[in-house]
Amino acid sequence: MPIVFNNETREFHLYNENISYIIKILKNNQLGHLYFGKKIHHRASFEHLLKVVGRGMTVCVFENDNDFSLENIKQEYPSYGTTDFRYPAHQIRQENGSRVTNFEFVSYNIFKGKENIKDLPATYVECEEEATSIQIKLYDSVMKTELILNYTIFENHSAIARSARFINNGDEKITITNAMSASFELSDDQFEMVQLSGAWTRERHVKVRPLQPGIQSIYSSKGASSSNHNPFIAIKRKETTENSGEAYAMNLVYSGNFLAQIEVDNFELTRMMIGINPFNFEWELSKGNSFETPEAIMVYSDEGLNKMSQTFHNLYNNFLVRGKWKNKPRPILINNWEATYFDFNEEKIVGIAKKAKELGIEMFVLDDGWFGKRNDDTSSLGDWYVNKEKLPNGIDGLSKKIQELGLKFGLWIEPEMINKESELYRVHPDWVIKTPDRNTSYGRNQFVLDFSRKEVVDYIYSAISALLRTSSVSYVKWDMNRNITEAFSIKLPAERQGEIMHRYILGVYDLYERLISDFPDILFESCSGGGGRFDPGMLYYAPQTWTSDDTDAIERLKIQYGTSFAYPLSSMGSHVSAAPNHQVKRLTSIDTRANVALFGTFGYELDLNKISEAEKAKVIKQVEFCKKYRELIVTGDFYRLISPFEKDYNITSWMVVSKDKKRALVGYYQALNYPNQKLTNLKLVGLDENILYTVKQLNLELYGDEMMNLGLVLSNKPEELGLEINENDINDFISYIFEIEEK
Ligand code: GLA
């Protein structure tokens, strides 16, 4: 059994082949944390790992015991108010104003498999053998409140899923003001913090900083996980590389406000936690009610950052993504957004779709602008019926036409939003999130619907489901283009206004759940001004996310590289768009644009009638190439080779290797050209050292060990590599793809 409780020493040991996680019930019956890291032998006692050292000026728990202070002991789910002065993982306010908690161990329950978390996305297992779980029950006798800490350790994965549930059994009303999903502590602070931060159109750039005493954190207060910071945090040793060394990571399965925080205390203990952002958050719990935190995924790697990322990728592909598209190659699509923006009619759309079909593309996606009176972004969100001036045959008629061409049909929606200029607003101005007596701020001319209210979600559900029922839609792009301000719900009493941000996300999840169960064949792609809500919570409902509104290939290198720290290629929507690029005006070859987009869920987003015949011929080849490799992209192991965040941002490289190591695909990208270059030895990883492979583009046969130790010898001159010379090669923004296959 990979979870063991020793009754005498009162220790829990969760372990699998790769990792160990050890918890101890302390002398005061609270839970202490002993160890998280590489698997260690199970033994009768881990008592020696708990060092209780008395220190001057500490406040201690018991009379006549000058040693036992929570301040000096690693905590499992720390509380504030007794002897630990660090930032806690939870806090509750009682009716009398007290904020002290003391949750003591009561019992535990170990079982095979994993339980769901009510109303929240979470990892799951399909067969009981894939994971073992434990629920540890703690109790605060003053508040008569239970705290259940849930842990699941996955078989064969260096990952633990955690969450917490509070149940109020007492008579008084309590208010949760902080409820993190998970917290753990390490015995030293010799780490660097890794975060994925940015902004709209430059999401998830990798930032690294050494840990310092005190608090370092990232968070969102925008009502979505946001493009400012991703709900992911890692720490790594200074010497950790992509392929060696230790790293610990946490990722929150949640799409709303989060906090990911590391505190280094004055004795160099490192406390790391993640959960709902306590800022502006409160949750009232009256008798008999419970509150569940979202799930946190904790990953350990002693084989560098690539291994850390692969653990997340495998976990999400197998135990988070659901439905028919799980582990399946996705259709190659053409989206009309950057081709037409709002300016289209049926003829134009069918024209693009026809050309797409000729070139081998499989799905047409109609983006924003098809409903109400929407000819720009000032109106009609909320009016989910077709604009007959643009599309006289309706979505139904258009989707049939597209299908007759032999393409699937996809549709854009933004269900959480409303424009003042809409029929819906005229009828329900009160459905908007706004604070009484205050200005209501505008974002992209729109307001946010109050999804904390069931009747609002019910209405949107009936509108969208009617639409999907009456047309042949195979794919839905679900957008969300502004953040929440003036957060207030007229349906919540004064003392519950702190609940709105979480209730909003629960409403979003509720709508997703209803729609995916009604339409199990539809492939959902989530989007939030690009990657403003790229998180594991969304992946539970929508297996892919539009990675960024920046479609420039060179910018995308950084965005996709950073995104891959936690998220699999199968989740990253990536398209070939026009040149010059619409966001940065950069000119890149259609080859380089495709070579970047290929490492994701591939598609096009330009007017195929406006490209040259030579480029059309290339598109045909790219589509064929993608069809050949998309299964490998979805199911293979992804390795980052060269970071665009280092060495003047000039070179990026990555590769995907099939699970059986017989095939691989390498992407190599150089941003700026420069004269008289050195040769590059591009060292590959993840191959089988004993297999003799062919490297198609180099016309070479090489053993895995050669490619991993010596590397592929590259220059920036395609002719020297025996590669076909294209008009934009021997220039800036060149790229190569290498196909590697067992001979
Ligand atoms: C957002 C999306 C884009 C596009 C537009 C439409 O910005 O990220 O891809 O769908 O909305 O308004």
Side-chain angles (χ1 to χ4, degrees), residues 200 335 337 342 367-368 374 412 414 444 477 479 481 527-530 546 549 605:
W200 173 69
N335 176 305
W337 179 240
F342 294 102
D367 211 280
D368 193 356
R374 192 147 166 106
W412 180 98
E414 195 177 357
R444 212 192 185 207
K477 177 177 171 188
D479 213 336
N481 279 320
C527 176
S528 175
W546 179 226
D549 272 352
E605 191 160 332

Side-chain angles (χ1 to χ4, degrees), residues 198-204 219-231 254-258 416 478-484 505 526-536 538 545-550 556 559 563 567:
W200 173 69
T201 59
R202 51 180 171 82
E203 299 90 342
R204 292 171 300 286
Y219 67 92
S220 169
S221 56
K222 298 179 109 176
S225 48
S226 95
S227 42
N228 299 34
H229 305 289
N230 196 262
Y254 189 57
S255 313
N257 291 349
F258 74 93
E416 299 156 65
W478 176 323
D479 213 336
M480 196 286 277
N481 279 320
R482 72 155 281 180
N483 294 120
I484 300 176
I505 285 295
S526 77
C527 176
S528 175
R533 209 164 57 178
F534 202 132
D535 57 64
M538 281 292 133
T545 300
W546 179 226
T547 311
S548 176
D549 272 352
D550 194 337
R556 273 300 188 106
I559 296 167
T563 304
Y567 307 102

Side-chain angles (χ1 to χ4, degrees), residues 139-207:
Y139 190 64
D140 183 300
S141 54
V142 175
M143 295 185 293
K144 299 192 175 50
T145 295
E146 275 174 28
L147 166 61
I148 314 282
L149 296 182
N150 299 305
Y151 299 78
T152 294
I153 180 161
F154 295 88
E155 200 63 26
N156 306 323
H157 297 270
S158 303
I160 290 177
R162 279 184 63 179
S163 64
R165 180 172 5 140
F166 294 86
I167 308 151
N168 183 359
N169 296 323
D171 290 328
E172 72 168 301
K173 222 187 308 181
I174 58 172
T175 304
I176 299 171
T177 58
N178 178 15
M180 289 285 127
S181 298
S183 170
F184 75 99
E185 284 172 42
L186 293 161
S187 304
D188 73 280
D189 66 348
Q190 293 306 297
F191 291 99
E192 293 175 330
M193 170 170 157
V194 184
Q195 64 193 70
L196 304 174
S197 299
W200 173 69
T201 59
R202 51 180 171 82
E203 299 90 342
R204 292 171 300 286
H205 283 204
V206 179
K207 307 278 177 195

Side-chain angles (χ1 to χ4, degrees), residues 7 57 113 154 165 235 303 368 468 641 657 675 693 721:
N7 210 9
M57 292 303 290
F154 295 88
R165 180 172 5 140
I235 52 173
E303 292 171 55
D368 193 356
L468 297 179
L641 301 178
V657 185
Y693 296 91
L721 293 171

